[in-house]
Amino acid sequence: MTVPTFKDRVHDDHAGRTSRIVPGPVSPTRFMSSTIPNLPPITNDAPPVAIAVDPVALITTECITVTSAMRKHARWSHSSVSAILGGSSPGGASLKGLKAGAPSRRQPNGSPASDILTIHDEESLTGRWGLRGKKGKSLQDSPLMSAFARLRNDLRGCTDIRSFDIPSLLHPFLQVIRSSSTSAPITSLALVAITKFFAYNLISRESPRLPLGMQLLSAAITHCRFEASDSAADETVLLRILKLMEDMLSGPGGDLLGDESVCEMMETGLSMCCQMRLSELLRRTAEMSMVAMCQIVFQRLKHLEDEAGDDVSALDFTMDHAETAELKMDAPLKSTNAATSQLPAVPKDTSAVPHSASQETGIEGTSRPSSSLGHRSSQESHLKTENNRIGLDSRQDVTEIPDTVPSLKPYSLPSIRELFRVLVNLLEPHDRQHTDAMRIMALRIIDVSLEVAGPSIAKHPSLAYLAKDSLCRNLFQLVRSDNMNLLNESLRVAGTLLSTCRSVLKLQQELFLSYLVACLHPRVEIPQEAGIDPSLYQGVPQSPKLAKQAASSTGSGRSTPVPVKDRQKLGMEGGSRKPDAREAMVESIGALARIPTFLVELFINYDSEVDRGDLCEDLVGLLSRSAFPDSATWSTTNVPPLCLDALLSYVHFMADRLDTQMDSTYLSDRDRLRTQRTLKKVIVRGATKFNENPKSGIAYLGSQGVIKDPDDPISVVKLLRGTSRVSKKVLGEYLSKKNNEHLLEAFIDLLDFSEKRVDEALRDMLGSFRLPGESPLIERIVTVFSAKYYSHAAAQSIADQDAIYVLTYAIIMLNTDQHNPNVKGPNRMTFEAFSRNLRGVNGGKDFDRDYLYSIFESIKTNEIILPDEHDNKHAFDYAWKELLQKADTVEEYYSCETSAFDADMFAATWKPVVATLSYVFMSASEDAVYQRVVTGFYQCAQLAARYQIFEALDQIIFCLTKISNLAPDSAPNTALNTEVQLENANVMVSELAVKFGRDCRAQLATIVLFKGVVAGNESSIHAGWTHIVRIWLNLFSNSILPSIFFQRQQPMELPPIPIQSPTHVINRDDRNSGSGLFQSFTSYLQSYAADDPPEPSEEEVNDTLCTVDCINACPMEQISSNLTTLSPESLASLTRALLDELPQGASPVVAVVKPEPLSPNPTKLHTNATASYNPTVVYILELASILVIENKHSSAFSGKEVVEALQDIVRNANNTHPLIVSRATFYLLNILGESHELSFIRAPVVLHTISSLNQAMTENSAVPIVQGLLLCLKGPRPLRNEIVNTPDFWLMARNLQKVYNAAKSVFELVSGILNDTPSTITADNYEACILLLNDIATAGSVSVALEKGHERVGRKPKLLKTIAVKDNDIVTRGKTAVNMIFRLSSRVPSLIAQSHLERTEAWTAYWSPIFRALSTQCINPCREIRHQAFSSLQRALLSPELASPGHQEWTAIFGEVLIPLILQLLKPEIYHSDPAGMSETRVQAATLLCKIFLHYLVLLSEWDGMLELWLRILDIMDRLMNSGQSDSLEEAVPESLKNVLLVMANGGYLVPGSSLPAQSHLWDETWKRLERFLPGMFRELFPQEGIASSEQGRPDSHSAPASITVSQSNQSSGPQDNSCETAAGS
């Protein structure tokens, strides 16, 4: 068959194809399947090194190299030729045992040994080369040389090295390694060869009998021996052993090693690490190798978990306990199998140390004489035991080991646990054999092991127990060391342990963190620093919550307390640690705090549990306090930034969880924890009260339901014993009082004394409370204890209760005697004295001597006392024992990755966080710090807003406001404000703007405040609005607030709020940029002479521009927009903050108002001399009003306060600036229009308040009031009805109508009311509306001046003035008002019908106002209005609804309307108001009087007062004729009278000589009166006066025309009007 070339084999290896295994006596497949479990291999990730030489040749070369080195040694200098040629050695294969035809021995690769030399051949070869011994005998090679020859011979027919038997391959090299006769260089060569085999992958997973080979190799290197040479060569061997062990574990067969092999390898490595006689380099290298090997070993735990499945704990119970009991690693310094336990120490100069060839060095032994037969026999015995363990006979050839070798079980939990135990034991702080260097080494290895398999260790009960007990106990004592290297490593391991295994270390973690907090938390106040307000960092705890009260030593059973120094060393107090130690502790805490869920778990498992400390709060408080710069004075300068980083990481993790969706399954846990926290607060407070006064504490706990029945002793003592917050001293004194015996008995009944000696039971009892100092109290306790112990747990040898009583007292006395520092050793009580004192007290007999001796020894070695009074090791041991007992019953550690608990956690810890951020913000100087702090503020704000922690958000706002300096306690001075006109804008230079522009920190704080905190969180702000409002007011008063902020707040139709005028205005654009020093000096002198403020410098202008840019960068527009959607609570807080800024008591500072009128034609302000204008007051009122209007659904909380404030300003108008009053009235009416349906505002109240203003204030506030009323009347109908039916509304309207600027709006207002459908005019407002319209018409008299001017000018310009009068708005409104009055007459009949008044009263109530108003306008100086009034009056008087036959109240139109009207027209002042037009008006009045008289003549004839009325008409006509003021009257009056007389005569009402007395009297009186002022008219109309008198009743011929008129007068009013006009015209 063709043998493949080396290149082909290398190619096959690299291509990943399985190498062909030559058949042989060993079946690799069968062997592997029977010995290797189905586990994933643990191999090194690095790929094997590719080799360029033939593997068989490489092995052969290594064999030759080793044998060559051996031949140079005197011991092997005469080796045979076969050793050189590679043949079988005489000792290896003798032909004497071969028979003819017997099958030849096969090689491991299956090829026959056809080349075995015969004796003859061998002798001939030796003779040829002259290798003859004494007496001509052939030389025999040693077994070491023969083994190499045999291997070379076996390799000759090998085609694939991976199919070669591994034990056969390693056998010669292992013999060299284990041989004590080889030197260090030879052993080193053998180790190098094996190392190459692993590195080149010559030993692979598929190699035959690999498990056996790995076991043999492990046994060889861990029992390596060689003759000592120089130190360098010796340590080289040890280094190579380390390298080979590391390769074995990480190689393909590492997971095939057995538990004992791994233990021996680890023991070897640890021995090298701990031998101080070795060089530092070797020990460091050994440590590095151990770290790497432990990584691999502990990593196997993960594979064991996968194999075990879900039940990981089953691994601890499936192990063979018989096997594991024998598996034990010795301590490094006590090991009989340590690598260097007996190597000579390394001198400073190794070259000067002679090495004797008669000494040998090994893994097991020291340098020793080679002739030490006793040790050799011991060594051989150990090797034999090792061979027997792996199934070999020391005399058996490895090639002859049968395939039925016992199965080699790969290493698993037993070896890992044993390794972990040894490493943990190395940390024992009280073992003096272990140096700090050894502890540091062990800590480093343990740290790596925890990093690799920490969670797996926690899952394996046996490993977890080591971690919970031994590891934690040693670690927590080592962290108290002053050795910085040891402390650093201890803290690192503790941190890694808690980060990976904290789920099973609940109480241990509490103890560790409590100690760190106690050590690190400074107990000094934060020093005040200039420029930093102490209010910024309120909330930083001065001491941790877990700080316990100092233990008292009085009556404690010992005469001297533990010294403070000892208590500090024991960790009972924080103590005074070095700065470097503090920094290391802070780093440890920071590493834990950077675990995203660490502090959350602390909060859940400790802060939320009743009997646990508030670790989360304490830790946050510690980080917060230590982040202050002063903490560097007792630590290092690195501590503050480390703490700040940890604190910000805590906030960052919570902020990151905001976006995660919370699992609903955590809600029940969250509620449960909230209930527990509430209960915890109650218990803590109750315990505090108990420690001060036990009775009040129990009463309080009972009132809160914690103690169900305060009168039940069991309920009380269960709580007192179950909480650790009760002072044990107070508890002992309280229970021992005479009145509390029932409580003492119940308390002791809770203790379990079963199967305990009396001293053990006494320990349990005194561990629960402190023994009081007074003898009667002690006696009472001992009596109850004795009875309880005797009845439940007394041994049979104890006679009675009295014996227990005496023995208990004796134990207490013994305890004091044995542990009193003042009693010296020789004077202490001996056992004999102790037993002698108790002679005969056990019912007349003695106690059992062994029983007493056990008690004596227990007390002697372990004092009975409270844990916090122990010293030295007893303190920690006692506390640790108690901790382990509690750990069995403590609740399971709760782990989570959710935001469900962040709200409660942040609510409990935000105060120190915000305080620290504020202080650091004020004291920082680097951009990186600012960036982190700004991010922290933003994240805290988001957390507070999301979780509705309003107090936190308010505090953040307060701090940033303080830092910004924009809201000082006193208002900034604006007296020197100067407006500078630049090219693109005007800038108001003020003291506030300049200071702010120079303070970069304040600018950053402002941007963070508005951009990161306020914007988007407006509805979550409560008390913080106070500070924001102050900032807004200061910015507003200094003209810095962006205009867009006002535009978002201007739903009201009002001009901008006038702001304080600058004291000086400077236009920089008009100046010559090249002006020199002289011009500047001249400008300065001019301003000085004028007493003006100095002109702002360029720097001040630039600072102001910086301020403006900063404020513009704040999202004021967004904030303004969000104000319209505030929550009710936030809105109430904002409005309250606004109203609180209103000046109280004294008037605000006087300011000059800019000349910005409220309307185009302002009236003169009637200001109060004592009132002053403050623009901020207007701003407050306007913003508050807008908030109420825009948040109608939420304004119920705040609207009432705003309305009351506005009403107070209006009521106090006499002491308030008119501009403020005018705005207040407008805001009040706006709120009324938008929120009328809410209960806090009512239209009558508002209108009455505004109508109570005096006339001057009304005039100044007219326009805003009318605008507000218009807005209200545009509102819903219920509001309109309520307003127009309020008398104060019409009163206000009449007053406002008198103001020029408001008259037009008032007219629009009343027009809208009259045009409203359905009409809002009712009986209640009818007359008021007519009065208002009358006032509007009366206002048209102002046009008289224009008309008079027209008359004086003459004919030429008359068109111009006529047009001006005609188009005058006032006249137009007056005419329209008169027409509206007439329109109201159509409502009279329905109003009369609806009223419940009598006919006469109703007519007077509804017709009289119209006639009075129209009559008033008939004498209006304005002709057009007057003419319109006459026309309307005539139409009203002729209304068909006016008169009716059954009633006579309408007759008042003559006596109350027409006649008074003419009398008014006859007055000179009325005439002179319009001389040119008033004559015509008189004519119209006289004509109207006659016309109306004739219209109602028929009805008047039935009235008894007709004669009187007619006579009054004649008198009026007489006065008109004789007024002498117009010729037109002299013509019009007679004509009108003629018409009337003729109509009366034709109607038969004026008949001469009538038989009726009334008519006769009428005729006679008419005759007489007419003859007075119109003599002859009667005769002219009635020429036949005498005939008429004699012939009564016959009609005159001249009366025909009149008869026609009379007949027509009985028809409708229309024809009557026409007839009258015809008669008058004639």
Side-chain angles (χ1 to χ4, degrees), residues 886-899:
K886 292 180 180 179
D888 296 335
T889 58
V890 74
E891 292 185 16
E892 187 178 353
Y893 192 86
Y894 192 101
S895 300
C896 67
E897 293 184 7
T898 177
S899 60

Side-chain angles (χ1 to χ4, degrees), residues 1163-1183:
T1163 59
K1164 183 178 179 180
L1165 292 178
H1166 300 276
T1167 58
N1168 191 327
T1170 61
S1172 58
Y1173 175 68
N1174 188 347
T1176 58
V1177 174
V1178 183
Y1179 178 79
I1180 291 171
L1181 297 177
E1182 181 167 317
L1183 182 54

Side-chain angles (χ1 to χ4, degrees), residues 201-342:
N201 202 27
L202 304 182
I203 299 176
S204 65
R205 186 90 179 171
E206 295 79 14
S207 299
R209 297 205 295 178
L210 177 62
L212 177 60
M214 296 297 294
Q215 301 289 343
L216 293 172
L217 178 58
S218 170
I221 60 175
T222 54
H223 299 84
C224 174
R225 285 171 173 75
F226 54 90
E227 291 183 353
S229 57
D230 60 283
S231 298
D234 295 344
E235 293 193 353
T236 301
V237 174
L238 300 181
L239 287 174
R240 297 193 183 282
I241 291 175
L242 291 172
K243 179 64 171 62
L244 183 54
M245 288 193 301
E246 190 174 344
D247 290 345
M248 288 174 63
L249 283 172
S250 61
D255 56 330
L256 303 178
L257 292 168
D259 285 317
E260 292 191 15
S261 298
V262 170
C263 287
E264 289 182 347
M265 293 169 66
M266 296 300 102
E267 186 178 330
T268 300
L270 286 175
S271 299
M272 294 186 192
C273 295
C274 297
Q275 285 293 340
M276 301 306 296
R277 291 173 294 181
L278 298 179
S279 65
E280 181 73 13
L281 177 61
L282 177 58
R283 284 187 279 112
R284 295 295 184 191
T285 305
E287 180 181 330
M288 294 170 60
S289 296
M290 281 299 301
V291 167
M293 288 188 288
C294 287
Q295 284 179 333
I296 299 170
V297 171
F298 281 92
Q299 190 177 358
R300 186 168 176 80
L301 285 174
K302 299 178 181 178
H303 301 288
L304 295 177
E305 292 176 25
D306 296 338
E307 184 184 41
D310 296 333
D311 189 12
V312 179
S313 60
L315 292 174
D316 285 352
F317 301 100
T318 56
M319 296 183 303
D320 188 347
H321 293 280
E323 294 181 2
T324 56
E326 298 178 359
L327 187 66
K328 185 176 180 63
M329 286 178 59
D330 293 330
L333 295 179
K334 302 177 182 178
S335 173
T336 60
N337 197 26
T340 57
S341 58
Q342 298 180 10

Side-chain angles (χ1 to χ4, degrees), residues 556-728:
S556 60
R558 59 180 301 132
S559 57
T560 306
V562 179
V564 175
K565 183 177 180 181
D566 293 339
R567 292 172 63 84
Q568 292 172 351
K569 287 182 178 180
L570 296 169
M572 298 165 68
E573 294 176 357
S576 175
R577 302 304 298 263
K578 296 179 181 179
D580 292 341
R582 290 178 176 270
E583 180 180 346
M585 292 179 178
V586 168
E587 289 177 349
S588 179
I589 292 177
L592 292 173
R594 282 188 286 273
I595 301 174
T597 61
F598 182 75
L599 285 168
V600 184
E601 294 175 4
L602 291 186
F603 182 78
I604 296 172
N605 293 283
Y606 303 99
D607 298 56
S608 300
E609 286 196 14
V610 175
D611 209 34
R612 305 270 70 83
D614 294 330
L615 277 185
C616 180
E617 291 188 46
D618 286 336
L619 210 56
V620 172
L622 168 65
L623 295 174
S624 173
R625 180 61 184 90
S626 299
F628 281 68
D630 68 304
S631 63
T633 57
W634 55 80
S635 55
T636 65
T637 55
N638 297 327
V639 167
L642 286 172
C643 292
L644 179 62
D645 178 68
L647 197 65
L648 292 176
S649 299
Y650 162 65
V651 177
H652 174 72
F653 293 140
M654 283 192 292
D656 283 347
R657 289 192 291 268
L658 283 175
D659 299 329
T660 60
Q661 186 175 4
M662 185 179 65
D663 190 350
S664 59
T665 57
Y666 291 104
L667 295 179
S668 59
D669 293 333
R670 184 183 64 182
D671 296 338
R672 177 179 58 84
L673 292 180
R674 286 177 177 174
T675 304
Q676 287 185 188
R677 281 182 58 79
T678 304
L679 176 63
K680 181 178 183 178
K681 292 178 181 179
V682 174
I683 291 179
V684 169
R685 185 171 182 181
T688 304
K689 287 180 175 291
F690 181 88
N691 295 335
E692 297 171 356
N693 186 346
K695 288 186 178 180
S696 64
I698 292 175
Y700 172 78
L701 293 172
S703 65
Q704 297 296 320
V706 178
I707 297 178
K708 296 181 179 180
D709 184 7
D711 297 328
D712 180 17
I714 297 178
S715 300
V716 175
V717 298
K718 277 185 177 180
L719 177 70
L720 296 179
R721 186 172 184 267
T723 176
S724 60
R725 302 181 183 278
V726 172
S727 171
K728 295 187 177 182

